Coordinates of all heavy atoms in Angstrom, one line a residue:
M13 N 6.2 12.2 -5.6 CA 5.5 11.3 -4.7 C 4.1 11.8 -4.5 O 3.9 13.0 -4.3 CB 6.2 11.2 -3.3 CG 5.6 10.3 -2.4 SD 6.3 10.1 -0.7 CE 8.0 10.5 -1.0
R14 N 3.2 10.9 -4.6 CA 1.7 11.2 -4.4 C 1.4 11.0 -2.9 O 1.8 10.1 -2.3 CB 0.9 10.3 -5.3 CG -0.6 10.6 -5.3 CD -1.3 9.9 -6.4 NE -1.1 8.5 -6.6 CZ -2.0 7.6 -6.5 NH1 -3.3 8.0 -6.3 NH2 -1.8 6.3 -6.7
V15 N 0.5 11.9 -2.4 CA 0.1 11.8 -1.0 C -1.4 11.2 -1.0 O -2.2 11.7 -1.8 CB 0.1 13.2 -0.3 CG1 -0.5 13.1 1.1 CG2 1.5 13.7 -0.2
V16 N -1.6 10.2 -0.2 CA -2.9 9.6 -0.1 C -3.4 9.8 1.3 O -2.7 9.4 2.3 CB -2.9 8.1 -0.4 CG1 -4.2 7.4 -0.1 CG2 -2.5 7.9 -1.9
E17 N -4.6 10.4 1.5 CA -5.1 10.6 2.8 C -6.1 9.5 3.2 O -6.9 9.1 2.3 CB -5.9 11.9 2.9 CG -5.0 13.1 2.9 CD -5.7 14.4 3.1 OE1 -6.9 14.5 3.0 OE2 -5.0 15.4 3.4
I18 N -5.9 9.0 4.4 CA -6.9 7.9 4.9 C -7.7 8.5 6.0 O -7.2 9.4 6.7 CB -6.1 6.6 5.3 CG1 -5.0 7.0 6.3 CG2 -5.5 6.0 4.1 CD1 -4.3 5.7 6.9
S19 N -8.9 8.0 6.2 CA -9.8 8.5 7.2 C -9.6 7.8 8.5 O -9.9 8.3 9.6 CB -11.2 8.5 6.8 OG -11.6 7.2 6.4
K20 N -9.1 6.6 8.5 CA -8.8 5.8 9.7 C -7.6 5.0 9.5 O -7.3 4.6 8.3 CB -10.0 5.0 10.1 CG -10.3 3.9 9.2 CD -11.6 3.1 9.6 CE -12.0 2.0 8.7 NZ -11.0 0.9 8.6
E21 N -6.9 4.6 10.6 CA -5.8 3.7 10.4 C -5.9 2.6 11.5 O -6.6 2.8 12.5 CB -4.4 4.5 10.6 CG -4.2 5.2 11.8 CD -2.9 6.0 11.9 OE1 -2.2 6.2 10.9 OE2 -2.6 6.4 13.0
P22 N -5.3 1.5 11.2 CA -4.5 1.1 10.1 C -5.4 0.7 8.9 O -6.6 0.4 9.1 CB -3.7 -0.1 10.6 CG -4.6 -0.7 11.6 CD -5.3 0.4 12.2
V23 N -4.8 0.6 7.7 CA -5.4 0.1 6.5 C -4.5 -1.0 5.9 O -3.3 -0.8 6.0 CB -5.6 1.2 5.4 CG1 -6.2 0.7 4.2 CG2 -6.4 2.4 6.0
E24 N -5.1 -2.1 5.5 CA -4.3 -3.2 4.9 C -3.7 -2.8 3.6 O -4.3 -2.1 2.8 CB -5.2 -4.4 4.8 CG -5.7 -4.9 6.1 CD -6.7 -6.0 6.0 OE1 -7.4 -6.1 5.0 OE2 -6.9 -6.8 7.0
L25 N -2.5 -3.2 3.4 CA -1.7 -2.8 2.2 C -2.4 -3.1 0.9 O -2.4 -2.2 0.1 CB -0.3 -3.5 2.3 CG 0.6 -3.4 1.1 CD1 0.9 -1.9 0.9 CD2 1.9 -4.2 1.3
Y26 N -2.9 -4.3 0.8 CA -3.5 -4.6 -0.5 C -4.7 -3.7 -0.9 O -5.0 -3.4 -2.0 CB -3.9 -6.1 -0.6 CG -5.2 -6.5 0.0 CD1 -6.4 -6.5 -0.8 CD2 -5.4 -6.7 1.4 CE1 -7.6 -6.9 -0.2 CE2 -6.6 -7.0 1.9 CZ -7.7 -7.1 1.1 OH -8.9 -7.4 1.7
K27 N -5.4 -3.2 0.2 CA -6.6 -2.4 -0.1 C -6.1 -1.0 -0.6 O -6.8 -0.4 -1.5 CB -7.4 -2.2 1.2 CG -8.1 -3.4 1.7 CD -8.9 -3.2 2.9 CE -9.6 -4.5 3.3 NZ -10.3 -4.3 4.6
I28 N -5.0 -0.5 -0.1 CA -4.5 0.8 -0.6 C -4.1 0.7 -2.1 O -4.5 1.5 -2.9 CB -3.3 1.3 0.2 CG1 -3.8 1.6 1.6 CG2 -2.6 2.5 -0.4 CD1 -2.7 2.0 2.6
L29 N -3.4 -0.4 -2.4 CA -3.1 -0.6 -3.8 C -4.3 -0.7 -4.7 O -4.3 -0.1 -5.8 CB -2.2 -1.9 -4.0 CG -0.9 -1.9 -3.3 CD1 -0.2 -3.3 -3.6 CD2 0.0 -0.8 -3.8
K30 N -5.3 -1.4 -4.3 CA -6.5 -1.5 -5.1 C -7.3 -0.2 -5.2 O -7.7 0.2 -6.2 CB -7.4 -2.6 -4.4 CG -8.7 -2.9 -5.1 CD -9.5 -4.0 -4.5 CE -10.5 -3.5 -3.6 NZ -11.4 -4.5 -3.1
F31 N -7.6 0.4 -4.0 CA -8.5 1.6 -4.0 C -7.8 2.8 -4.7 O -8.5 3.7 -5.2 CB -8.9 1.9 -2.6 CG -9.9 0.9 -2.1 CD1 -9.7 0.4 -0.8 CD2 -11.0 0.5 -2.8 CE1 -10.6 -0.5 -0.3 CE2 -11.9 -0.4 -2.3 CZ -11.7 -1.0 -1.1
E32 N -6.5 2.9 -4.7 CA -5.8 4.0 -5.3 C -5.5 3.7 -6.8 O -4.9 4.5 -7.5 CB -4.5 4.3 -4.6 CG -4.7 4.9 -3.2 CD -5.5 6.2 -3.3 OE1 -5.2 7.1 -4.1 OE2 -6.5 6.3 -2.5
G33 N -6.0 2.6 -7.3 CA -5.9 2.3 -8.7 C -4.5 2.0 -9.2 O -4.1 2.0 -10.4
I34 N -3.6 1.6 -8.3 CA -2.2 1.2 -8.6 C -2.2 -0.1 -9.3 O -1.4 -0.4 -10.2 CB -1.4 1.2 -7.3 CG1 -1.3 2.7 -6.8 CG2 0.0 0.7 -7.6 CD1 -0.6 2.8 -5.5
V35 N -3.2 -1.0 -8.9 CA -3.4 -2.3 -9.6 C -4.9 -2.4 -9.9 O -5.7 -1.6 -9.4 CB -3.0 -3.5 -8.7 CG1 -1.5 -3.5 -8.4 CG2 -3.8 -3.5 -7.4
A36 N -5.3 -3.3 -10.7 CA -6.7 -3.4 -11.2 C -7.6 -4.0 -10.3 O -8.8 -3.7 -10.3 CB -6.7 -4.1 -12.6
S37 N -7.2 -4.9 -9.4 CA -8.1 -5.6 -8.5 C -7.4 -6.0 -7.2 O -6.1 -5.9 -7.1 CB -8.6 -6.9 -9.2 OG -7.5 -7.8 -9.4
G38 N -8.2 -6.4 -6.2 CA -7.6 -6.9 -5.0 C -6.8 -8.2 -5.2 O -5.7 -8.3 -4.6
G39 N -7.2 -9.0 -6.1 CA -6.4 -10.2 -6.5 C -5.1 -9.9 -7.0 O -4.0 -10.5 -6.7
E40 N -5.0 -8.9 -7.9 CA -3.8 -8.5 -8.5 C -2.9 -7.9 -7.4 O -1.7 -8.1 -7.4 CB -4.0 -7.5 -9.6 CG -2.7 -7.1 -10.3 CD -2.9 -6.1 -11.4 OE1 -4.0 -5.8 -11.9 OE2 -1.9 -5.5 -11.9
A41 N -3.5 -7.1 -6.5 CA -2.7 -6.5 -5.4 C -2.1 -7.6 -4.6 O -0.9 -7.5 -4.3 CB -3.6 -5.6 -4.5
K42 N -2.8 -8.6 -4.2 CA -2.3 -9.7 -3.4 C -1.1 -10.4 -4.1 O -0.1 -10.8 -3.5 CB -3.4 -10.6 -3.0 CG -4.3 -10.0 -2.0 CD -5.5 -11.0 -1.7 CE -6.5 -10.3 -0.7 NZ -7.6 -11.1 -0.4
A43 N -1.3 -10.6 -5.5 CA -0.3 -11.3 -6.3 C 1.0 -10.5 -6.3 O 2.1 -11.1 -6.1 CB -0.8 -11.5 -7.7
V44 N 1.0 -9.2 -6.5 CA 2.2 -8.4 -6.7 C 2.9 -8.3 -5.3 O 4.1 -8.3 -5.2 CB 2.0 -7.0 -7.3 CG1 1.5 -7.2 -8.7 CG2 1.1 -6.1 -6.5
I45 N 2.1 -8.2 -4.2 CA 2.7 -8.2 -2.9 C 3.4 -9.6 -2.6 O 4.5 -9.6 -2.1 CB 1.6 -7.9 -1.8 CG1 1.1 -6.5 -2.0 CG2 2.2 -8.1 -0.4 CD1 -0.2 -6.2 -1.2
D46 N 2.7 -10.6 -2.9 CA 3.2 -12.0 -2.7 C 4.5 -12.2 -3.5 O 5.4 -12.9 -3.0 CB 2.2 -13.0 -3.2 CG 2.0 -14.2 -2.3 OD1 2.4 -14.1 -1.1 OD2 1.5 -15.2 -2.8
D47 N 4.6 -11.6 -4.7 CA 5.8 -11.7 -5.5 C 7.0 -10.8 -5.1 O 8.0 -10.8 -5.7 CB 5.5 -11.3 -7.0 CG 4.7 -12.4 -7.7 OD1 4.6 -13.5 -7.1 OD2 4.1 -12.1 -8.8
G48 N 6.8 -10.0 -4.0 CA 7.8 -9.2 -3.5 C 8.1 -7.9 -4.3 O 9.2 -7.4 -4.3
Q49 N 7.1 -7.5 -5.0 CA 7.2 -6.3 -5.9 C 6.9 -5.0 -5.2 O 7.0 -3.9 -5.8 CB 6.3 -6.4 -7.1 CG 6.7 -7.6 -8.0 CD 5.8 -7.7 -9.2 OE1 5.5 -6.7 -9.9 NE2 5.2 -8.9 -9.5
V50 N 6.4 -5.0 -4.0 CA 5.9 -3.8 -3.2 C 6.9 -3.5 -2.1 O 7.3 -4.4 -1.3 CB 4.5 -4.0 -2.7 CG1 4.0 -2.8 -1.9 CG2 3.6 -4.3 -3.9
L51 N 7.3 -2.3 -2.0 CA 8.1 -1.8 -0.9 C 7.3 -1.0 0.1 O 6.5 -0.1 -0.4 CB 9.3 -1.0 -1.4 CG 10.2 -1.6 -2.4 CD1 11.3 -0.6 -2.7 CD2 10.9 -2.9 -1.8
V52 N 7.5 -1.2 1.4 CA 6.9 -0.3 2.4 C 8.1 0.3 3.2 O 8.8 -0.5 3.8 CB 5.9 -1.1 3.3 CG1 5.4 -0.1 4.4 CG2 4.7 -1.6 2.5
N53 N 8.2 1.6 3.2 CA 9.3 2.3 3.9 C 10.7 1.7 3.5 O 11.6 1.5 4.3 CB 9.1 2.2 5.4 CG 7.8 2.8 5.8 OD1 7.4 3.8 5.3 ND2 7.2 2.3 6.8
G54 N 10.8 1.4 2.1 CA 12.1 1.0 1.6 C 12.4 -0.5 1.7 O 13.4 -0.9 1.3
E55 N 11.5 -1.2 2.4 CA 11.7 -2.7 2.6 C 10.7 -3.5 1.8 O 9.5 -3.1 1.7 CB 11.6 -3.0 4.1 CG 12.4 -2.2 5.0 CD 13.8 -2.9 5.3 OE1 13.8 -4.1 5.4 OE2 14.8 -2.2 5.4
V56 N 11.1 -4.6 1.2 CA 10.2 -5.5 0.5 C 9.2 -6.0 1.5 O 9.5 -6.4 2.6 CB 10.9 -6.7 -0.1 CG1 9.9 -7.7 -0.7 CG2 11.9 -6.2 -1.2
E57 N 7.9 -5.9 1.2 CA 6.8 -6.4 2.0 C 6.0 -7.4 1.3 O 5.5 -7.2 0.2 CB 5.9 -5.2 2.4 CG 4.8 -5.5 3.3 CD 5.3 -6.1 4.6 OE1 6.0 -5.4 5.4 OE2 5.0 -7.3 4.9
T58 N 5.9 -8.6 2.0 CA 5.2 -9.7 1.4 C 3.9 -10.1 2.1 O 3.2 -11.0 1.8 CB 6.1 -11.0 1.2 OG1 6.5 -11.3 2.5 CG2 7.2 -10.8 0.3
R59 N 3.6 -9.3 3.2 CA 2.4 -9.5 3.9 C 1.2 -8.7 3.3 O 1.3 -7.5 3.3 CB 2.5 -9.2 5.4 CG 3.5 -10.1 6.1 CD 3.8 -9.6 7.5 NE 4.6 -8.3 7.4 CZ 4.9 -7.6 8.5 NH1 4.4 -7.8 9.6 NH2 5.6 -6.5 8.3
K60 N 0.2 -9.4 2.7 CA -0.9 -8.7 2.1 C -1.6 -7.8 3.0 O -2.2 -6.8 2.6 CB -1.8 -9.7 1.4 CG -1.1 -10.6 0.4 CD -2.1 -11.7 0.0 CE -1.4 -13.0 -0.4 NZ -0.5 -13.6 0.5
R61 N -1.8 -8.3 4.2 CA -2.6 -7.5 5.2 C -1.7 -6.7 6.2 O -2.2 -6.3 7.3 CB -3.5 -8.5 6.0 CG -4.5 -9.2 5.1 CD -5.4 -10.1 5.9 NE -6.4 -10.8 5.0 CZ -7.5 -10.3 4.6 NH1 -7.8 -9.0 4.9 NH2 -8.3 -11.0 3.8
K62 N -0.5 -6.4 5.7 CA 0.3 -5.5 6.5 C -0.4 -4.2 6.8 O -1.1 -3.6 6.0 CB 1.6 -5.1 5.7 CG 2.4 -3.9 6.1 CD 3.3 -4.2 7.2 CE 4.2 -3.0 7.5 NZ 4.4 -2.8 8.9
K63 N -0.4 -3.8 8.1 CA -1.2 -2.6 8.6 C -0.4 -1.4 8.2 O 0.8 -1.2 8.6 CB -1.4 -2.7 10.1 CG -2.1 -3.9 10.5 CD -3.5 -4.1 9.9 CE -4.2 -5.3 10.5 NZ -5.2 -5.8 9.7
I64 N -1.0 -0.5 7.4 CA -0.3 0.7 6.9 C -0.9 1.9 7.8 O -2.1 2.0 8.0 CB -0.6 0.9 5.4 CG1 -0.1 -0.2 4.6 CG2 -0.1 2.3 5.0 CD1 1.4 -0.5 4.7
V65 N 0.0 2.7 8.3 CA -0.4 3.8 9.1 C 0.2 5.1 8.5 O 1.0 5.1 7.6 CB 0.1 3.7 10.6 CG1 -0.6 2.5 11.2 CG2 1.6 3.5 10.6
S66 N -0.3 6.3 9.0 CA 0.2 7.6 8.6 C 1.7 7.6 8.6 O 2.3 7.2 9.6 CB -0.5 8.6 9.5 OG -0.1 9.9 9.0
G67 N 2.3 8.2 7.6 CA 3.7 8.3 7.5 C 4.4 7.2 6.7 O 5.5 7.4 6.2
D68 N 3.7 6.1 6.4 CA 4.3 5.0 5.6 C 4.4 5.5 4.2 O 3.6 6.2 3.7 CB 3.4 3.8 5.7 CG 3.6 3.0 7.0 OD1 4.6 3.3 7.8 OD2 2.8 2.1 7.3
I69 N 5.4 4.9 3.5 CA 5.6 5.2 2.1 C 5.6 3.9 1.4 O 6.3 2.9 1.7 CB 7.0 5.9 1.8 CG1 6.9 7.3 2.5 CG2 7.3 6.0 0.3 CD1 8.2 8.1 2.5
I70 N 4.7 3.8 0.4 CA 4.5 2.5 -0.4 C 5.1 2.8 -1.8 O 4.8 3.8 -2.4 CB 3.0 2.2 -0.5 CG1 2.5 2.0 1.0 CG2 2.8 0.9 -1.3 CD1 1.0 1.9 1.0
E71 N 5.9 1.8 -2.3 CA 6.4 1.9 -3.7 C 6.0 0.6 -4.4 O 6.2 -0.5 -3.9 CB 7.9 2.0 -3.6 CG 8.4 3.3 -2.9 CD 9.9 3.3 -2.8 OE1 10.6 3.4 -3.9 OE2 10.4 3.3 -1.7
F72 N 5.6 0.9 -5.7 CA 5.3 -0.3 -6.6 C 5.6 0.2 -8.0 O 5.0 1.2 -8.4 CB 3.9 -0.7 -6.5 CG 3.5 -1.8 -7.5 CD1 4.1 -3.0 -7.5 CD2 2.6 -1.5 -8.5 CE1 3.8 -4.0 -8.5 CE2 2.2 -2.5 -9.4 CZ 2.9 -3.7 -9.4
M73 N 6.5 -0.4 -8.7 CA 6.9 0.0 -10.0 C 7.3 1.4 -10.0 O 8.2 1.8 -9.2 CB 5.8 -0.3 -11.1 CG 5.6 -1.8 -11.2 SD 4.3 -2.3 -12.3 CE 5.1 -2.2 -13.9
D74 N 6.7 2.3 -10.8 CA 7.1 3.7 -10.8 C 6.2 4.6 -9.9 O 6.3 5.8 -10.0 CB 7.1 4.3 -12.2 CG 5.8 4.1 -12.9 OD1 4.9 3.4 -12.4 OD2 5.7 4.7 -14.0
E75 N 5.4 4.0 -9.1 CA 4.5 4.7 -8.2 C 5.1 4.8 -6.8 O 5.6 3.8 -6.3 CB 3.1 4.0 -8.1 CG 2.3 4.1 -9.3 CD 1.2 5.2 -9.2 OE1 1.3 6.0 -8.4 OE2 0.3 5.1 -10.0
K76 N 5.0 5.9 -6.2 CA 5.5 6.1 -4.8 C 4.4 7.0 -4.1 O 4.1 8.1 -4.6 CB 6.8 6.8 -4.8 CG 7.5 6.8 -3.5 CD 8.9 7.3 -3.7 CE 9.7 7.1 -2.4 NZ 11.1 7.6 -2.6
I77 N 3.8 6.4 -3.1 CA 2.8 7.2 -2.4 C 3.1 7.2 -0.9 O 3.6 6.3 -0.3 CB 1.4 6.6 -2.6 CG1 1.3 5.1 -2.1 CG2 1.0 6.7 -4.0 CD1 -0.1 4.6 -2.2
Q78 N 2.7 8.4 -0.3 CA 2.9 8.6 1.1 C 1.5 8.6 1.7 O 0.6 9.2 1.2 CB 3.6 9.8 1.5 CG 3.8 10.0 3.0 CD 4.7 11.2 3.3 OE1 4.9 12.1 2.5 NE2 5.2 11.2 4.5
I79 N 1.3 7.9 2.9 CA 0.0 7.8 3.5 C 0.0 8.9 4.6 O 0.9 9.0 5.5 CB -0.2 6.4 4.1 CG1 0.0 5.3 3.1 CG2 -1.5 6.3 4.8 CD1 -0.9 5.4 1.9
L80 N -1.1 9.6 4.7 CA -1.4 10.6 5.7 C -2.8 10.4 6.3 O -3.7 10.2 5.5 CB -1.2 12.0 5.2 CG 0.2 12.5 4.8 CD1 0.2 13.9 4.3 CD2 1.1 12.4 6.0
L81 N -2.9 10.6 7.6 CA -4.2 10.5 8.2 C -4.9 11.8 8.1 O -4.3 12.9 8.3 CB -4.0 10.1 9.7 CG -5.3 9.8 10.5 CD1 -6.0 8.6 9.9 CD2 -5.0 9.5 11.9
K82 N -6.2 11.8 7.6 CA -6.9 13.1 7.5 C -7.0 13.8 8.8 O -7.2 13.2 9.8 CB -8.3 12.8 7.0 CG -8.4 12.7 5.5 CD -9.8 12.6 5.1 CE -9.9 12.3 3.6 NZ -11.3 12.0 3.1

């Protein structure tokens, strides 16, 4: 599992996928979230603007990242 540090919280889910290079663009991030391919804390998440905070775990395909506040 990869750890990603954020400087402020909350951060919208699609932005984390985009800025961490898990997907190629914001549009792609929104599409995979919409399709139910992203898990937050083990649950399918379909809200693109879901507020992510320190301690959350995001899963997409073979990527698993944990969010920590700097």
Side-chain angles (χ1 to χ4, degrees):
M13 181 179 334
R14 182 163 56 118
V15 174
V16 172
E17 289 188 343
I18 56 175
S19 57
K20 65 181 177 70
E21 58 181 15
V23 177
E24 294 170 338
L25 176 58
Y26 83 95
K27 290 181 181 177
I28 292 175
L29 296 179
K30 180 175 97 172
F31 292 131
E32 288 304 311
I34 296 170
V35 295
S37 67
E40 184 181 348
K42 290 175 181 178
V44 297
I45 294 167
D46 224 19
D47 287 346
Q49 298 180 45
V50 179
L51 302 179
V52 176
N53 300 325
E55 306 267 325
V56 172
E57 183 56 67
T58 57
R59 293 173 291 172
K60 300 168 208 63
R61 296 186 181 275
K62 161 81 171 140
K63 304 299 184 205
I64 301 300
V65 296
S66 185
D68 284 346
I69 296 173
I70 300 168
E71 297 176 65
F72 173 64
M73 296 177 81
D74 58 350
E75 290 259 17
K76 190 172 189 176
I77 59 175
Q78 180 172 20
I79 306 301
L80 291 178
L81 189 61
K82 274 188 189 172

